[in-house]
Amino acid sequence: MKLDQIFSVSLIYATFRSATPIIYAALCAAITQQADILNIGTEGIMLTGAFTAVAVSYMSGSWLMGILVAMAAGFVMAGIMALAHIRYKAEICAIGMGINLFALAITKFMLNVIFGTSGTFSDPAICPIPRVHLPFLEKIPVLNQIFNNWTITEWFVIVLIIIITFLFYKTRWGLRLRAVGQFPMAAQTAGINVNAMKYQAILISGLIGGLAGAHLSLGYSQMFTENMTSNRGFMGVAAMYFGGAHPVLTAIGCLVFGFADSIGARLQAYGVPSQFVLLMPYVVTVVVLSVSMISKQISEKKKKSSLAYVKSL
């Protein structure tokens, strides 16, 4: 086993490529978390978007139409969550798990009904998300390996991180969203419609979750496989906790998952047992969650000690 072949320049792009679907999922969870809503249903929203994107792309021959309809499907799934949680006071974790199970069942059923197959659907008629080729990078081998031939949605996720960061911390809407999440009674007293803000957060997260699924099935691959999200939605939630729902820090957490996945895939080529490779992302998930929880406990202790010191003065 040669380490230089595993830790090569191409590993940088491989890490980002593997992390991109998780980044979308994490941003989906981060938006609702700012409103103090844990979006466990990210996995189901992604899976629904992945199937819808493939089906529409196959039937229409348009990758853009596939993405738009996938986002609409994610919007509908998120709407169900929002209605159940906000209007009918259902426990958000319970309704989120219900959405995940429903998405798993309905995509499997529709795969059989529409395409007459089970397991996997792949066809040359599926129109994938195009890749952006930059000819001037061909003269710079290192940059060519890292930045050339990215899909449009891989470039867009960077733009989306910037946009959401700006919305969270530089706009009145973001201030109100964070106020609703941290101080709902104070926000209501200030005249903010708390329920309306929560609806907006969940529905916007549905759009991003649908986009995450579309990227997974049309950008990351060119097919649909039953349960193809493979817990990426849950990894996104874990990364969101790691980053404290901050878009940039959350994306960094996702890169950790992408790095583990890319390293695992390369190790498998050198005879490392597949069971160990498949285990790596879940081990990383546990480690990331543990680190984030410990950090949160330490920060809370510091706050309590500071408050006690202030009171003693």
Side-chain angles (χ1 to χ4, degrees), residues 146-190:
I146 299 174
F147 295 109
N148 220 346
N149 297 316
W150 286 21
T151 62
I152 291 176
T153 42
E154 286 172 340
W155 283 111
F156 180 71
V157 77
I158 298 175
V159 177
L160 188 61
I161 292 169
I162 297 171
I163 291 173
I164 293 178
T165 303
F166 178 80
L167 287 174
F168 280 176
Y169 303 108
K170 298 295 181 180
T171 66
R172 179 179 296 178
W173 182 84
L175 179 62
R176 290 182 174 183
L177 181 67
R178 289 183 288 121
V180 165
Q182 296 177 22
F183 312 103
M185 294 300 293
Q188 191 169 8
T189 303

Side-chain angles (χ1 to χ4, degrees), residues 50-60 114-115 121:
F51 174 80
T52 307
V54 163
V56 173
S57 175
Y58 172 76
M59 294 177 182
S60 67
I114 297 176
F115 301 112
F121 175 71

Side-chain angles (χ1 to χ4, degrees), residues 37 80-90 92 194-200 202:
I37 298 172
I80 296 172
M81 288 183 60
L83 193 64
H85 175 60
I86 300 172
R87 182 177 178 82
Y88 296 105
K89 309 302 179 183
I92 188 63
V194 173
N195 285 344
M197 292 301 299
K198 288 185 175 182
Y199 270 114
Q200 290 174 32
I202 296 176

Side-chain angles (χ1 to χ4, degrees), residues 247-264:
V248 176
L249 298 178
T250 293
I252 292 172
C254 294
L255 291 174
V256 175
F257 291 111
F259 180 76
D261 186 59
S262 300
I263 289 293

Side-chain angles (χ1 to χ4, degrees), residues 62-73:
S62 170
W63 62 270
L64 182 58
M65 186 63 67
I67 288 178
L68 293 177
V69 178
M71 292 175 69

Side-chain angles (χ1 to χ4, degrees), residues 8-32:
S8 60
V9 175
S10 60
L11 179 63
I12 299 175
Y13 171 62
T15 296
F16 181 75
R17 181 174 182 271
S18 296
T20 300
I22 307 174
I23 294 175
Y24 276 116
L27 293 176
C28 170
I31 289 177
T32 58

